[in-house]
Amino acid sequence: MDALTASPLCPAPLELQLDGIHFAAPELVVTATARQHVVACPGCGHASTRVHSRYRRTLADLPWHGLRVHLEIQVRRFFCDVSDCRRQIFTERLPKTAALYARRTARAASALEVIGLALGGRAGARLAEALGLAGAPAEILSVLSAVHAATDEGTDGHGDRARAGPRVLGVDDWAWRKGQRYGTILVDLERHHVVDLLPDRELNTLVA
Ligand SMILES: [Zn+2]
């Protein structure tokens, strides 16, 4: 499979070695193995080569010719041998492939972000479904809220862009915690950015 290692099917060839592709109706499954020989401990930064265990991580990826694609990666846990490090065992990071704990690849998250900023949660989810991108409304809003949190760091939490006032506003319900507390997410559908995350679903809060 070496000839396929640099294939577009593998999101980050430096991090992953492509092992195979098979069709498991209705989707395409791409299997890959993390390939770095030496990884840095996230606690202390020291290099480790001592493998503790392996497990399989599944990520939704970009569709291929309209087919949904899942990436199944064999990922490793490593020992950190630095005696005073608080992480005795750690999971290897694959930053170019996907964020830690993410359920989709970074490039699939970017695609959902673009769709969500153009259409909002519900309409965005319908387009994503039609394109073969796995993305329920709540997942699209989750991607948008992560982007909003990242771009709002260092400001007063509302950002200068919000004050200019959007003309076309997307309003969606948003679960702060899965199934527990609901808020509202506001997306400027013309300028394509998240305006704000509101703490509840009350009309008065939205009007304010
Ligand atoms: Zn360490």
Side-chain angles (χ1 to χ4, degrees):
M1 278 286 175
D2 268 347
L4 283 170
T5 298
S7 151
L9 285 167
C10 217
L14 286 177
E15 291 178 347
L16 300 178
Q17 173 189 302
L18 192 63
D19 296 325
I21 306 161
H22 65 273
F23 182 63
E27 61 187 32
L28 205 63
V29 179
V30 176
T31 51
T33 306
R35 68 186 309 168
Q36 301 163 105
H37 295 297
V38 180
V39 299
C41 166
C44 66
H46 276 81
S48 175
T49 56
R50 205 153 69 89
V51 175
H52 169 273
S53 55
R54 291 178 167 80
Y55 68 99
R56 196 158 279 283
R57 186 175 174 193
T58 302
L59 296 167
D61 199 11
L62 291 178
W64 189 73
H65 288 242
L67 285 176
R68 282 195 184 204
V69 175
H70 267 98
L71 197 58
E72 283 190 7
I73 310 173
Q74 189 164 125
V75 185
R76 299 157 295 180
R77 293 186 190 88
F78 284 84
F79 289 104
C80 178
D81 290 323
V82 174
S83 58
D84 58 349
C85 179
R86 61 194 166 82
R87 303 250 187 170
Q88 295 184 326
I89 297 161
F90 64 90
T91 301
E92 66 182 313
R93 269 54 169 166
L94 301 168
K96 292 191 188 319
T97 303
L100 192 64
Y101 308 123
R103 293 189 301 167
R104 58 177 47 82
T105 59
R107 60 188 187 183
S110 296
L112 283 189
E113 180 191 330
V114 171
I115 290 172
L117 288 175
L119 296 171
R122 284 189 201 100
R126 285 197 294 275
L127 178 62
E129 174 72 30
L131 293 176
L133 260 170
E139 293 175 295
I140 291 179
L141 298 177
S142 169
V143 168
L144 293 185
S145 72
V147 174
H148 180 66
T151 53
D152 244 21
E153 272 176 17
T155 74
D156 62 2
H158 292 274
D160 290 336
R161 292 172 305 183
R163 288 185 205 104
R167 286 199 324 132
V168 184
L169 193 63
V171 180
D172 279 289
D173 288 343
W174 151 252
W176 287 89
R177 274 174 173 235
K178 205 165 191 176
Q180 288 187 8
R181 191 159 69 86
Y182 286 91
T184 308
I185 186 167
L186 305 179
V187 181
D188 184 332
L189 295 179
E190 274 192 334
R191 289 182 218 140
H192 310 306
H193 66 83
V194 177
V195 176
D196 213 347
L197 296 172
L198 305 181
D200 54 42
R201 292 188 289 188
E202 301 301 320
L203 183 60
N204 287 343
T205 310
L206 177 61
V207 170

